[in-house]
Amino acid sequence: MNEVIKGAGNPQSLAHGGWHILREEVSFPVAVLSQSAINNNAKWMSDFCQKAEVNLAPHGKTTMAPELFNMQLEHGAWAITLATVAQVLNAVNHGVKRIILANQLVGKYHFEQIANLIESTDVEFYCFVDSVENATQIGRFFDVRKVSINILLEIGAQGGRCGWRDLSNTDAFLAACKAHPSLKLAGIGFYEGVIGGSNALEKVTNFVEEIYQLASTLKKQNVFSLDNPIITGAGSAWYDVVAKTLAKHNHQENFNLVIRPGCYLIHDTGIYQDAQNVVMARSQLACDVTGDLASSLTVWAYVVSRPEAGLAIVGLGKRDVAFDAGLPKAELIYHVDSHTLKAADALIETVKIMDQHAMLTLPDNCNLKVGDMVCFSTSHPCLTFDKWRQVAIADDDWVIRKTISTFF
């Protein structure tokens, strides 16, 4: 028997006209990307980076979908960022040629995998390192293998996660690098998204300023292996601030400035829409880019039960959609009997979610029936994508034209 994957329909039908969601030609629930929305988002961020004079290395952990990586690269991305060695290898297997591992490379097996990768391919690989211990471990292994590896000194914020904390004294780290010929210090990396609380904008700006000054000092000391060393930071919340802060100094220094937002391509109607609203409110440069980011990901599900007045149960659960940063929001209703598609009443609310079901409370006048379809938007696309081995891509008429695979 052939394997059956959720969110799929008849393969022959997909090849000859697509799967019509509203004609019930696909298994529900189904995760769907809007082709027009991802096209818009890819272009918007590309245009932003050009105006901001920075390169883009979007974080691939959001989708782990190589077809989307290729789309981002086609729109001018300089590299793809990843978080684990397994993610790196999957990306390379699908043709990605330049990768930033925005994480620590730790462990003998991982060293072996990356050394083999560097020896056997033309992939340009960089990884974060934030300690003398890790630099020494990597250096010893790669020295023996006689393989050079590009590393980026990761700087971390106080109270954050990884990253070297003492910007005033990196001597011990630099000495560890110098002791191992295989280590090529290619620049500095950081992640500012852990900075919050009061005066977050000022704190992030100062953090990035300090990192730029450190990079400038180290460049004058000729410790970097590249003529244009890399400075890379920025998640999806502060990319405008990072780009502006770095670029304002860079006309004399010629660093390769690289930002790494991951969620822009998919976007959402929750935490990343909130973050983008803040970006648009504070960044004139972002406002100068035509249009804005748009939520591209929806998940469709059937109403499976109306057990009580004012309550509907839909066939959508924690195994299908993110729930860590807000519950899915009903956006569209399709009434199967009348063949009508309309915007969902704003009073419809997802109040609870379980493994395979979600509970919706309904206003008194809502005529939702068993068998009707509900289209949900989501918050935090990373944790929807990792629940799907394939994601559909549809046109604006809700016809699925193709599917893409994920490799989590």
Side-chain angles (χ1 to χ4, degrees):
M1 176 180 288
N2 292 331
E3 182 180 17
V4 177
I5 299 176
K6 68 175 181 176
N10 184 294
Q12 287 75 34
S13 299
L14 182 62
H16 298 89
W19 297 328
H20 293 246
I21 293 176
L22 304 184
R23 296 181 190 172
E24 302 184 81
E25 295 178 351
V26 64
S27 173
F28 275 26
V30 58
V32 181
L33 287 176
S34 161
Q35 182 71 70
S36 59
I38 59 174
N39 289 346
N40 169 81
N41 295 347
K43 184 178 187 304
W44 191 94
M45 187 57 76
S46 176
D47 291 348
F48 173 87
C49 289
Q50 289 182 17
K51 287 180 178 292
E53 300 182 310
V54 296
N55 281 321
L56 176 65
H59 210 313
K61 69 180 175 65
T62 300
T63 68
M64 278 312 297
E67 189 162 340
L68 297 182
F69 297 171
N70 289 332
M71 179 185 187
Q72 292 169 303
L73 292 167
E74 288 167 1
H75 278 80
W78 179 79
I80 297 294
T81 299
L82 295 158
T84 70
V85 171
Q87 291 177 3
V88 168
L89 297 179
N90 274 314
V92 170
N93 288 342
H94 289 88
V96 177
K97 296 295 187 182
R98 184 185 287 124
I99 290 172
I100 297 174
L101 176 63
N103 206 346
Q104 317 309 307
L105 179 63
V106 177
K108 179 182 176 182
Y109 183 76
H110 293 149
F111 296 166
E112 291 172 346
Q113 295 297 302
I114 295 302
N116 292 342
L117 174 70
I118 295 170
E119 280 187 321
S120 63
T121 73
D122 59 352
V123 170
E124 190 176 327
F125 175 83
Y126 302 86
C127 69
F128 283 9
V129 181
D130 77 344
S131 67
V132 171
E133 292 83 359
N134 192 210
T136 301
Q137 292 163 0
I138 296 172
R140 286 173 177 167
F141 182 91
F142 281 78
D143 283 353
V144 171
R145 286 287 297 265
K146 293 182 170 55
V147 175
S148 295
I149 180 169
N150 298 314
I151 65 171
L152 302 169
L153 168 59
E154 182 178 8
I155 302 299
Q158 291 295 328
R161 54 189 197 199
C162 302
W164 185 275
R165 297 296 199 262
D166 187 0
L167 274 70
S168 66
N169 187 0
T170 58
D171 291 350
F173 182 86
L174 297 176
C177 294
K178 190 174 181 179
H180 297 283
S182 61
L183 299 181
K184 306 302 180 185
L185 183 58
I188 292 178
F190 62 92
Y191 175 62
E192 74 299 329
V194 294
I195 299 173
S198 60
N199 301 318
L201 174 58
E202 180 181 356
K203 292 175 184 176
V204 168
T205 302
N206 290 341
F207 178 62
V208 179
E209 288 272 9
E210 290 172 358
I211 289 170
Y212 190 93
Q213 294 308 316
L214 173 62
S216 181
T217 298
L218 295 183
K219 189 179 183 201
K220 290 180 175 66
Q221 296 174 7
N222 295 316
V223 301
F224 293 123
S225 62
L226 301 177
D227 292 334
N228 303 111
I230 296 165
I231 307 178
T232 177
S236 297
W238 296 101
Y239 64 87
D240 61 312
V241 175
V242 171
K244 179 180 179 180
T245 305
L246 292 177
K248 73 179 182 179
H249 297 293
N250 201 44
H251 295 292
Q252 294 79 33
E253 301 274 12
N254 293 318
F255 284 101
N256 179 7
L257 308 179
V258 183
I259 62 171
R260 307 190 311 273
C263 288
Y264 74 89
L265 187 68
I266 308 305
H267 204 50
D268 67 12
T269 56
I271 57 172
Y272 289 106
Q273 182 58 57
D274 292 343
Q276 182 67 4
N277 289 341
V278 176
V279 169
M280 298 300 284
R282 72 183 171 219
S283 172
Q284 183 59 51
L285 189 149
C287 292
D288 290 342
V289 178
T290 302
D292 196 357
L293 300 179
S295 179
S296 70
L297 175 63
T298 55
V299 184
W300 287 76
Y302 281 120
V303 178
V304 298
S305 181
R306 286 293 315 271
E308 302 170 14
L311 178 67
I313 311 300
V314 297
L316 174 76
K318 293 179 178 179
R319 299 186 179 218
D320 310 304
V321 68
F323 55 91
D324 66 310
L327 297 182
K329 178 185 177 184
E331 298 285 353
L332 299 171
I333 304 292
Y334 183 72
H335 295 287
V336 174
D337 289 347
S338 62
H339 306 293
T340 55
L341 179 68
K342 64 180 185 180
D345 191 306
L347 296 178
I348 296 175
E349 183 181 3
T350 306
V351 294
K352 189 174 182 179
I353 191 166
M354 290 151 279
D355 276 3
Q356 309 283 184
H357 300 89
M359 301 174 69
L360 308 183
T361 55
L362 312 175
D364 292 340
N365 62 347
C366 183
N367 62 345
L368 203 59
K369 298 179 180 179
V370 170
D372 285 345
M373 305 175 187
V374 185
C375 174
F376 293 90
S377 65
T378 70
S379 180
H380 201 184
C382 305
L383 293 190
T384 294
F385 255 80
D386 68 2
K387 295 168 175 57
W388 295 86
R389 290 173 57 192
Q390 75 170 19
V391 175
I393 298 184
D395 61 23
D396 292 341
D397 294 321
W398 298 110
V399 180
I400 295 169
R401 300 299 182 183
K402 65 179 179 179
T403 63
I404 58 173
S405 297
T406 66
F407 294 84
F408 286 96

